[in-house]
Amino acid sequence: MDYQFSKDFLWGAASSGPQSEGSFPGDQKAEMEWDYWFKQAPELFYEGVGPSVASDFYHKYKEYAGLMKEIGMNSYRTSIQWSRLIKDCEGTVNPEGAAFYNAVIDELLSRGIEPILCLHHFDLPMYWVEKGGFENWETVEAFAAYAAQCFALFGDRVKRWITFNEPIVITEGGYLYQNHYPAVCDAKRAALVSYHLQLASSLAVKAFKKSGRDGQIGIVLNLTPTYCREPENEADKKSAETADLLFNKSFLDPSIKGEYPKALVELLKEEGICPETREEDLEVIRINTVDFLGVNYYHPRRVTRRSTPYTGPLMPEKYFEEYTYEGQKMNFSRGWEIYEPAIYEIAIHLRDNYGNIPWYISENGMGVQDEERFIGADGTVEDDYRIEFIRDHLIWLHKAIEEGCSCFGYHLWAPFDCWSWKNAYKNRYGMIRVDIKDHCRLSIKKSGRWFRETAGRGGFNKF
Ligand code: BGP
């Protein structure tokens, strides 16, 4: 086999609670930020589709698990919805929610699929949003208590936990670029939220150790390798370094090394937005580093020095401008560049600068609009572009592993089409098609068949 991966390699895919489950009468789920935002402003969501049904994983989890097995997955990451498991600020457990997650875990395990559970995927319950969300210290403590509850309820069977999915996106989406709730633009609040998210993550790690459960706990970060246009130009290089500091190192360093990069602290101080810290909290971060890392990789970031003076509210773009790389390969549906070698560069960077921490690709994928275009005569979505996308990324990942990088798996986003926040069902990511106009009818795409064969053989040959 030209590209052979290890026997225990994770072949799987990821989704999340809010993007797959839906919420239904009688499930006792509390409202979370996306339910609320959709109710307030449905026009912001593609074709007015909100999270209420999503992919109906709540009712169809057995069918989904069966199909996931059929496409060769040996592992599946999803997230527990805090708002489904816990009813209120007092931490009251919703028995329906607990029963649902127990059933999902058992179903997956019975099919030989390892459940990897994430504790937060952009979905803060409204009872905490109303108290200031992650700007409020109480939310941080409540997150740690909720995490401890999850370890107690499900830790006998779940062996890999994730504290947060893409915490930087919570900050940038909610407090800078306004594509997540509360959709404000305020760098000082953003910095505080980031710091509190890191503390919440570190406290969850601490709670996990205290729980005495076997297993490991990690964090999922979306790493965007940053390339500048003119690497020999000092100002250009600096623009890339600053973007890297803000978007990558701000969670990578405290989560893995237990401390913030000095340059980041200095920059925040210069801007007058550095949160106040307590020595005992920094100690929590120092001690409670993660066991492993999940890397979500979709696209690189290409920057150059500013050509015009920056005006407007404080934003990361004060320090750089993004530019289009001539000849870049694009996924036009999502507007994201496709650049496979970055996956190799991430791996080498983790090997050389982060102690070669064990990690896996926790998301990588290609969202395509109007996939109906590719339905063939027998009704299958012929998504050769997705097969090519996965294969080309795996080739670079394989090279990194050959060179000693500790990557233990590859998860595609997503096993099945799921609800994508404001983009709703615009772009389809799954290896399993979900026909949302026909009661979420499910069918395996061509990529699902390819994945089954690849995972089954533990790799693939050159074409
Ligand atoms: C990641 C998120 C996922 C998922 C994916 C695809 O950043 O963790 O939740 O949605 O991106 O992106 P999008 O849904 O914006 O197309």
Side-chain angles (χ1 to χ4, degrees), residues 32 34-35 37 45 116 134 146 148-149 162 191 206 257 289 294 315 327 360 367-368 374 381 401 414 426 434 461:
M32 53 100 183
W34 294 90
D35 303 320
W37 202 18
F45 292 75
I116 300 179
F134 277 105
Y146 150 67
Q149 187 64 263
I162 307 277
K206 184 176 173 188
K257 297 182 174 171
T289 52
M315 293 281 272
Y360 79 116
V368 171
F374 303 103
V381 177
I401 295 170
K426 173 176 169 285
V434 179
N461 282 318

Side-chain angles (χ1 to χ4, degrees), residues 14-16 18-19 77 121-122 165-166 169 180 220 222 296 298 334 336 363 365 367 413-414 418-424 427 429:
S15 178
S16 76
Q19 293 176 272
R77 172 172 68 109
H121 199 120
F122 308 160
N165 177 76
E166 301 188 349
V169 172
H180 284 213
V220 163
N222 50 312
N296 291 355
Y298 287 91
R334 190 60 181 78
W336 282 343
E363 285 182 31
W413 183 271
C418 56
W419 185 78
S420 269
W421 320 111
K422 278 165 73 180
N423 275 336
N427 301 318
Y429 281 90

